[in-house]
Amino acid sequence: MKTIALPAKMLPALMLAATTLFATGAMAHGGFKCEEPKKEWKLRDDLEDKLKAEGWDVRKVKIDNGCYEVYGFDGKGQRREAYFNPKTFELVGDVPQK
């Protein structure tokens, strides 16, 4: 296996590019945060029922960064990873899906 030697002056630019790439991915999934006290949260099943009434096909609901994270398909058939406030069920964020 051959080793490729890069000029030393390229290293800072390469490190910056790698850091930016990894930070962007982390922000996409960790940028949504809910800070409601747990005693004020509504039930997960109630959110699932609400979304199903809106035409969603809910595959999974879990907790992430204090929000309800929902995986499924919305009423238009679009694949979604959406974050909801557990107290109000307000949509607080969406991760683009391919």
Side-chain angles (χ1 to χ4, degrees):
M1 176 179 255
K2 279 188 167 183
T3 303
I4 300 172
L6 296 173
K9 62 183 174 183
M10 284 184 68
L11 190 57
L14 200 54
M15 292 299 290
L16 178 62
T19 302
T20 302
L21 176 66
F22 291 117
T24 303
M27 285 189 332
H29 290 85
F32 310 114
K33 187 168 177 116
C34 301
E35 298 183 359
E36 304 294 347
K38 273 229 179 204
K39 64 183 180 184
E40 297 178 14
W41 287 22
K42 294 180 184 176
L43 297 176
R44 232 187 274 208
D45 290 342
D46 293 342
L47 174 60
E48 193 168 337
D49 290 343
K50 174 188 178 299
L51 294 174
K52 285 180 178 179
E54 294 173 5
W56 281 61
D57 176 10
V58 177
R59 300 296 172 96
K60 182 177 182 180
V61 180
K62 67 179 197 169
I63 298 169
D64 186 26
N65 283 336
C67 301
Y68 285 137
E69 181 180 13
V70 177
Y71 294 89
F73 296 85
D74 64 17
K76 297 177 183 174
Q78 299 294 313
R79 192 168 88 169
R80 301 280 296 271
E81 178 182 343
Y83 292 77
F84 294 87
N85 180 303
K87 179 180 177 181
T88 64
F89 292 160
E90 173 187 0
L91 178 67
V92 296
D94 226 338
V95 177
Q97 301 296 302
K98 296 178 182 180

